[in-house]
Every structure is written in structure tokens, then in C-alpha cells.
Amino acid sequence: MKTPLLATVLSFMICSFSFAQGSCSKFYPLEEGSSFEYTNYNKKGKVEGTVNYTVSEVRQEGSASVATFAMKYKDKKGEDVFETDYSFSCENGIVTIDYESLFPSQMMQQYTEMGLEMDISGTDIQLPNDLSVGQQLPDANVVVSMSMGGINMTTSVDQTNRKVEKKEKVTTPAGTFECYLLTEDQLTKTMGANIETKSQLWLAEGIGMVKQESYKKNGTLISRMELTQYSK
């Protein structure tokens, strides 16, 4: 099983949750054709890859708004690594995500052909309309359980101590934005290992995620992802 790819997908899943929650319009413009490019950098500031999100469809199903996103990930050489479509629905400020759709169809097909069974579950991140400095936000988690030939493996990511730290302006190659800074602790459990990290996320109204930084427990920078271009 390609666990490095699985870890990559999970990391983007967390990012996706971070900008797609709460109101269906306040922190992210649900307009068909809107596109966002994020560049991922390692701790030395070197490009590791890019991820592109495009809003491919927005529709109403009763009182719920349902959006479909096309996601493409390229490595540092600009070569395609994977692409997938995923969706979420929003009703009365509550978001439901199709967890399984976040995994690339090619990877899911490969795993199925290998006889692997996969179950994905979790607790959606909640991001209220009205953020305020000092506000505590609910915990969240995602769990991926896989089984093949009597071998079981579970990978989980718990997001705790989520808090709105402050408001500040952030500049990226895409521009300068007035953002809320959200911080949280993350605990990843996989293959008997517990990995504790901390995350800082900058959100701008009408844009969504502008920048994200991940740190080791001791404060050492692991990686940075930031908005490099967008259109809506």
C-alpha cells in the first residue's frame, strides 16, 4: 500500500476541511468556475508541489447547497500525481462531506483490485459564520481504516485545541488579505506511531484558506502552504 500517497491525500483532506466549512458563502465563494492554486513548500522554502481546486458545479438539493470540487495535485517537477472530484453539502450552516470522494479514483481502483477494503469516517470541522479573537472551536477528526488479507491498518488525524488567535494581514503571491489566524494541535496515529504537530491557518472572508503552516511539537517548521493565485 502506498502509505506516502495516503498521507498526502490526508493532508489535503485536512486543508480542504479548513476552507470549506461553516457558511456556504462567507469564507469561500461557491461560484462555478472559481479556481484556487496553492503551493506547498518544505521547511527550507523549496517548492514540494501544487494543488489546484476548481468549483466545477454548484446546485441546490432542497434547502441544501451542494458543491463539487475538482482537485489536481502536481509534484515539484510539475508532473501530475493525482486528481479527484469531491463534494460537500451545506444546510443551515452544517456541512456534510463525502469523505470517500476525496480519495483519487485511480488509487481507490488500485486498492480494490488488490482486495483492499476501506472505510472512511470522521467528525466535520465546524467553522461558524462569525469568528472572534479568543474563540474556541470544536474538535474534529478523520479516520481511515483499511483491511487486506487479514492485515488491518488504521490512520487517524485528531484536530484539537482549535482557537481563533487574532486578525492580521497576510501577504502571499496572490495578494494581501485580512485574515483570521486559527491554531490547533494535530495527532496523527498510523502503523503504531503517534505524530504530534501544530498547525496555523489563515482564513480570509470570500477567499478561504490563504496560508497554512505545520510545525513539530517543539516548534520546528515542517511545511508551508499558501495561496499563489486564484480567480472567481
Side-chain angles (χ1 to χ4, degrees):
M1 288 177 282
K2 299 181 178 180
T3 52
L5 179 56
L6 176 59
T8 299
V9 174
L10 276 173
S11 69
F12 288 133
M13 184 186 297
I14 297 300
C15 292
S16 300
F17 292 168
S18 297
F19 68 69
Q21 307 304 307
S23 167
C24 295
S25 60
K26 186 167 185 179
F27 281 97
Y28 191 78
L30 292 186
E31 300 174 11
E32 291 184 2
S34 296
S35 62
F36 300 80
E37 178 191 84
Y38 294 90
T39 300
N40 191 36
Y41 305 87
N42 64 20
K43 62 182 180 181
K44 296 181 178 180
K46 294 183 178 181
V47 174
E48 289 291 293
T50 59
V51 59
N52 289 272
Y53 297 91
T54 300
V55 182
S56 57
E57 181 185 23
V58 178
R59 64 187 185 276
Q60 288 295 128
E61 293 186 358
S63 58
S65 298
V66 180
T68 299
F69 292 80
M71 182 178 75
K72 297 181 180 181
Y73 176 60
K74 296 179 181 291
D75 63 18
K76 59 185 176 182
K77 296 180 180 179
E79 298 180 353
D80 293 333
V81 177
F82 66 80
E83 60 182 80
T84 189
D85 293 330
Y86 70 96
S87 61
F88 71 83
S89 62
C90 181
E91 186 174 10
N92 299 322
I94 300 175
V95 170
T96 301
I97 297 173
D98 182 356
Y99 291 96
E100 192 163 344
S101 71
L102 283 163
F103 283 79
S105 56
Q106 304 98 315
M107 185 173 73
M108 292 294 291
Q109 182 178 354
Q110 180 184 19
Y111 283 175
T112 299
E113 292 173 351
M114 293 167 58
L116 182 144
E117 297 180 358
M118 179 181 292
D119 179 68
I120 306 167
S121 61
T123 303
D124 294 344
I125 286 180
Q126 295 181 15
L127 185 66
N129 257 341
D130 300 316
L131 296 179
S132 59
V133 176
Q135 184 176 5
Q136 295 285 341
L137 302 175
D139 296 344
N141 78 305
V142 59
V143 179
V144 180
S145 300
M146 295 182 289
S147 176
M148 184 176 67
I151 300 175
N152 300 317
M153 185 180 80
T154 299
T155 298
S156 66
V157 180
D158 294 321
Q159 297 168 265
T160 59
N161 299 322
R162 300 178 62 234
K163 182 180 179 181
V164 182
E165 292 287 347
K166 58 182 176 180
K167 288 190 71 174
E168 62 181 6
K169 289 185 177 180
V170 173
T171 299
T172 75
T176 299
F177 308 90
E178 185 73 29
C179 297
Y180 287 97
L181 170 59
L182 278 61
T183 60
E184 66 178 46
D185 296 332
Q186 293 182 0
L187 175 61
T188 302
K189 300 179 181 179
T190 182
M191 300 180 69
N194 291 342
I195 304 171
E196 296 182 53
T197 57
K198 295 180 178 295
S199 175
Q200 295 188 21
L201 173 72
W202 286 265
L203 288 175
E205 292 186 16
I207 297 294
M209 187 180 78
V210 170
K211 181 178 177 181
Q212 184 183 45
E213 294 179 344
S214 296
Y215 297 84
K216 293 182 180 179
K217 187 178 180 180
N218 63 7
T220 301
L221 179 67
I222 300 173
S223 64
R224 181 180 88 252
M225 182 181 289
E226 61 184 28
L227 182 68
T228 43
Q229 61 181 12
Y230 73 98
S231 64
K232 59 178 183 175

